[in-house]
Amino acid sequence: MQQTRSVRFLEWWQGAAREMKQLKSLVGAGLLAALGMVIKSFSIPIGQLFKISFHYLATALSGYLYGPVTAGFAAIVVDIFGYLLKPD
């Protein structure tokens, strides 16, 4: 039974990785990454050390729609380009 679970888990990740090969998924993840960068530029400062931002919502939606692999790459893009545009 344990081996069956690990095989299913591996197949699930392989299916999520195959999602990266579909153009529709890449375009959707790119649009959500761009939305995440726009949302990241608007944040609510709380004191000098903390700020609240809602850019994770675009990443969560990307994960829900396209899987964890595509969402992970979209999150990397949002973090890198978001920092390059507005380093805090």
Side-chain angles (χ1 to χ4, degrees):
M1 183 158 163
Q2 190 68 280
Q3 186 179 15
T4 306
R5 287 184 183 172
S6 62
V7 169
R8 280 192 223 150
F9 184 74
L10 182 62
E11 289 173 355
W12 180 72
W13 275 99
Q14 288 173 345
R18 277 192 295 264
E19 192 77 27
M20 287 287 293
K21 294 181 181 179
Q22 295 181 4
L23 182 62
K24 183 173 124 177
S25 299
L26 291 176
V27 170
L31 289 172
L32 286 171
L35 179 67
M37 285 192 295
V38 170
I39 293 172
K40 191 172 186 170
S41 67
F42 300 108
S43 60
I44 303 167
I46 300 176
Q48 293 180 349
L49 297 176
F50 298 109
K51 67 179 180 176
I52 296 175
S53 178
F54 297 102
H55 72 277
Y56 68 91
L57 293 173
T59 303
L61 184 61
S62 177
Y64 178 74
L65 293 174
Y66 305 115
V69 177
T70 308
F73 281 111
I76 290 170
V77 168
V78 169
D79 286 340
I80 290 174
F81 285 121
Y83 178 76
L84 291 175
L85 292 174
K86 187 178 177 187
D88 288 275

